[in-house]
Each structure stands twice: as C-alpha cells, then as structure tokens.
Amino acid sequence: MDTQSLYREELLEHYRNPQNFGKLSHFDISSKQSNPFCGDHVEMFITLEKDKIKNIGFDGRGCAISMAGGSMLTEFAKGKTKEELTSFSEKDMLALLGIEVSETRKKCALLALSVLKDCLYGVKSKS
Ligand code: FES
C-alpha cells in the first residue's frame, strides 16, 4: 500500500469512527459553521482549563473529509493551549489530513479548523 493509500485509509477510519464526536454536556465555548455550497455543518464545544483545551467535542454532518477533519483536529487540539494553536495554519490542517485535497474540497478540509479558530479567537474564515 502506498503512502497516499495509507493516509486515505486513516482518513476513512476517522470518518467511520469519529473521535470526540458529540456535544459536551459542559463546555465553555462553542461555535458552528456551515459550508454554504453543500449545507454541511460542524459545531464544536470546548472546555478550557486556564488556557489549555481540557476537553473538546464536535458534532455535525458532512462529507468524509469534513467529518474526518473534525475528528483529527479535535484529537490534535486536545491538551494544547490557545497559544500553541495560534500558529496552526490551513497548511498544517491539510498536512494533518495527509491526503491531496483539490481546490473544490478545500472548504471541506478546512471547515473544522475554521470553527476551532472561531471558538478560540473569534475569527470566522470567509466563505
Ligand atoms: Fe460538504 Fe464536504 S461536501 S463539507
């Protein structure tokens, strides 16, 4: 199996068994966004301990890339501080997904990151 196939397999596994899926019963911040082109949406819930993400969950529905993105990103973000995540860029998100993403699927790939940034810094990406 080549590297791209391995990454694709990992992504599909996150889609089939998303980590941190579901609304948290207690949370400090939340935000949601939709992809205007397809109507898919992601909502994220975060509990903070000082500046650190103590717990994080996401909910929503969407394509394999957007849902796997929510799963992978919440796994990555858990336990990190707001400061540590400041520099996590769109390029980093694409690298985390590990697959080639076409221009038309970029919005899917970056949906979860946009919601996370909105939660942490109140920054909504343009749509
Ligand atoms: Fe809707 Fe991917 S097709 S987010």
Side-chain angles (χ1 to χ4, degrees):
M1 205 184 271
D2 61 29
T3 317
Q4 274 296 302
S5 306
L6 280 173
Y7 280 129
R8 200 169 304 123
E9 203 38 57
E10 192 191 343
L11 186 136
L12 284 174
E13 190 48 38
H14 274 275
Y15 174 58
R16 286 191 285 256
N17 296 302
Q19 305 298 299
N20 312 306
F21 192 79
K23 184 176 178 176
L24 298 182
S25 50
H26 301 288
F27 55 88
D28 299 311
I29 21 177
S30 78
S31 180
K32 58 183 170 191
Q33 286 180 34
S34 297
N35 182 341
F37 300 107
C38 60
D40 294 351
H41 72 270
V42 168
E43 185 164 9
M44 218 169 261
F45 311 90
I46 293 175
T47 325
L48 289 171
E49 194 171 66
K50 294 196 177 152
D51 239 18
K52 190 181 274 191
I53 295 184
K54 188 176 168 205
N55 208 354
I56 181 166
F58 79 102
D59 203 351
R61 75 179 148 67
C63 64
I65 297 180
S66 67
M67 292 297 105
S71 175
M72 290 162 131
L73 183 62
T74 50
E75 277 293 278
F76 177 82
K78 202 186 288 179
K80 297 212 165 43
T81 62
K82 284 169 80 171
E83 181 73 34
E84 285 172 309
L85 292 166
T86 312
S87 57
F88 192 79
S89 65
E90 295 189 345
K91 200 170 155 215
D92 295 327
M93 182 67 207
L94 296 175
L96 185 69
L97 286 167
I99 56 158
E100 290 289 330
V101 178
S102 66
E103 264 320 302
T104 50
R105 305 309 297 277
K106 283 242 168 88
K107 192 79 191 166
C108 309
L110 299 173
L111 185 58
L113 178 62
S114 183
V115 179
L116 179 69
K117 295 269 176 176
D118 189 35
C119 277
L120 296 179
Y121 319 111
V123 181
K124 275 205 172 67
S125 77
K126 300 170 259 53
S127 54

